[in-house]
């Protein structure tokens, strides 16, 4: 990965006359050779610093803090937002929040898409959780499972490894209400593998897919969360084994 | 890995006339193709089931539950101990506990040594922690860091990745009292990289080592813990990517 060849940029222009722009750098969480995540967001709105920080923190929890390449958090991850007021417009808070969310989401997705050694961009979406915290933990556990990530690299729609990761994430839910889909194919439903050719179709679809969505419904409530990640390839290992301090 | 070619056995014969034997199966925590960890321990002591369970639980927390290959917990991990009383001896509890610990430690080490795709057996020892729970969490975080594991595979004595993992494990400790050694070479001491040729020597030693010990002192107390793991090689990825459901 070189940032030169993968610039990460996003912007929203609002009809009221204000703009948000952002740039980011990624995408392994590596210290100290630093493909550290850095993101800088600028806007010309008139905004109180505390209000801006509050909105940014909320947005970050759903974007930059909802991505994982290898589970290794860098000590240097940084997201900064600057508002200079040049537009003279004090924006509608809801419009501004959703514009900031769009910019951060786009940057977070671009960081993941540029993950070290990645061959697939993976969206892990957990629904039906009892609590949002459960949904986030379950999604992150699936996203960081080496067995799930290697199966995705191999193009195997291995719902068993996903179910195992959901299990050891220790969130509320029961197997007999659990549903797992990979790439749009439902492979596990209400505690049973789906008896159809969905599995064979999912394998064909997965083989050449550069983007995959994993949907898991825990059947325990209404909360949901999404974590973005990548598959794990031998070249991730080589890249990070070759580096010398 | 095939268990046929890597039998995992351990036994202790006590002078009072009793014996403990154990066998295990490993070593990726993979469901459902099952390199699942299974261990069975037999003994001919006379023992109350509740006492035996109590001793076993304590021993397991320091042995089988202190190993990690890939962080993926199987739903099927099982350790069972059977006592048939055939020796007629009610053992000294302390002697029995330490014999059981020896058997379980040996089996746990044999499981790690047979880890999928592993080229190095790695002992992560954290000392100077404020609490044992902190020591365990810090050791496990280092042991499960993909960046640490790939550096070990590459033979790079990368204390920076270890320090980063200790940092994001969020245990008590401060950088200016932290010490990190790899393979017996102190590379980081009291918040500073050690200014000597230790780093170059550690690299040479690491290159061909099949066993590595990582020592981390947090400088925050007297508690300690050890977690056993392996490096991460491209062949771990290939092995687990090739498997098809």
């Amino acid at each position: 990965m070189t940032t030169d060849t993968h610039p990460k940029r996003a912007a929203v222009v609002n009809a009221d006359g204000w703009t948000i722009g952002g740039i980011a750098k990624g995408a392994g969480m590596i210290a100290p050779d630093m493909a550290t995540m850095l993101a800088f967001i600028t806007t010309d709105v008139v905004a109180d610093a505390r209000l801006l920080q509050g909105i940014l923190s909320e947005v970050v929890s759903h974007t930059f803090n909802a991505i994982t390449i290898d589970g290794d958090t860098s000590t240097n991850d940084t997201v900064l937002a600057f508002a200079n007021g040049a537009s003279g417009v004090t924006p509608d808070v809801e419009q501004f929040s959703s514009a900031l969310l769009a910019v951060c989401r786009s940057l977070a997705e671009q960081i993941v898409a540029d993950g070290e050694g990645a061959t697939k961009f993976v969206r892990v979406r957990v629904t039906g959780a009892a609590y949002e915290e459960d949904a986030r933990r379950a999604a992150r556990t699936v996203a960081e499972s080496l067995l799930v990530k290697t199966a995705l690299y191999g193009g195997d729609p291995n719902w068993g490894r996903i179910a195992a990761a959901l299990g050891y994430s220790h969130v509320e839910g029961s197997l007999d209400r659990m549903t797992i889909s990979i790439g749009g194919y439902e492979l596990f439903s209400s505690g049973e593998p789906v008896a159809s050719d969905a599995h064979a179709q999912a394998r064909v679809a997965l083989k050449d897919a550069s983007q995959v969505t994993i949907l898991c419904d825990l059947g325990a409530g209404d909360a949901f969360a999404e974590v973005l990640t990548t598959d794990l390839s031998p070249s991730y290992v080589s890249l990070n084994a070759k580096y010398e301090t």
Side-chain angles (χ1 to χ4, degrees), chain A:
Chain A
M1 180 223 71
T2 57
T3 40
D4 298 329
T5 56
H6 294 92
K8 299 168 186 74
R9 291 184 287 238
V12 165
V13 179
N14 183 277
D16 290 349
W18 51 264
T19 304
I20 305 179
I23 54 170
K25 169 180 182 299
M29 308 299 183
I30 303 169
D33 60 333
M34 294 293 121
T36 298
M37 194 206 74
L38 299 172
F40 304 100
I41 295 149
T42 54
T43 176
D44 56 4
V45 299
V46 177
D48 172 69
R50 271 178 39 203
L51 177 68
L52 187 57
Q53 182 62 56
I55 296 172
L56 183 64
S57 297
E58 177 65 19
V59 163
V60 163
S61 75
H62 295 288
T63 54
F64 296 113
N65 281 347
I67 64 178
T68 178
I69 303 300
D70 50 18
D72 278 280
T73 305
S74 164
T75 47
N76 301 48
D77 295 335
T78 303
V79 177
L80 293 172
F82 306 91
N84 69 0
S87 71
V89 182
T90 302
D92 174 78
V93 170
E94 214 164 295
Q95 277 187 27
F96 181 78
S97 299
S98 84
L100 187 62
L101 183 64
V103 168
C104 290
R105 181 171 287 154
S106 171
L107 291 175
E109 290 178 359
Q110 292 176 61
I111 288 174
V112 172
D114 189 27
E116 288 181 322
T119 74
K120 293 185 200 303
F121 175 99
V122 183
R123 197 177 289 276
V124 180
R125 189 164 177 81
V126 171
T127 56
Y131 311 96
E132 191 184 327
E133 182 47 40
D134 270 16
R136 212 174 282 166
R137 177 138 51 107
R140 183 169 291 270
T141 305
V142 171
E144 292 186 352
S145 160
L146 296 198
L147 294 178
V148 171
K149 289 165 103 79
T150 51
L152 288 166
Y153 173 70
D156 185 37
N158 194 321
W159 56 265
R161 293 183 180 180
I162 296 167
L166 292 172
Y168 70 73
S169 74
H170 295 294
V171 300
E172 229 175 90
S174 76
L175 203 59
D176 60 355
R177 289 194 303 270
M178 196 182 279
T179 297
I180 298 172
S181 305
I182 303 176
Y185 295 91
E186 189 167 291
L187 302 176
F188 186 82
S189 179
S190 308
E192 303 275 350
V194 172
S196 75
D197 55 357
H199 198 273
Q201 291 172 353
R203 186 189 311 284
V204 172
L206 205 52
K207 219 62 184 179
D208 302 311
S210 59
Q211 301 209 5
V212 186
T213 297
I214 296 175
L215 286 176
C216 311
D217 194 283
L218 302 176
D222 295 322
F224 60 90
E226 195 175 272
V227 168
L228 305 180
T229 189
T230 63
D231 59 342
L232 179 69
S233 72
S235 85
Y236 172 92
V237 178
S238 308
L239 274 167
N240 285 294
K242 267 182 209 142
Y243 175 78
E244 296 209 339
T245 41

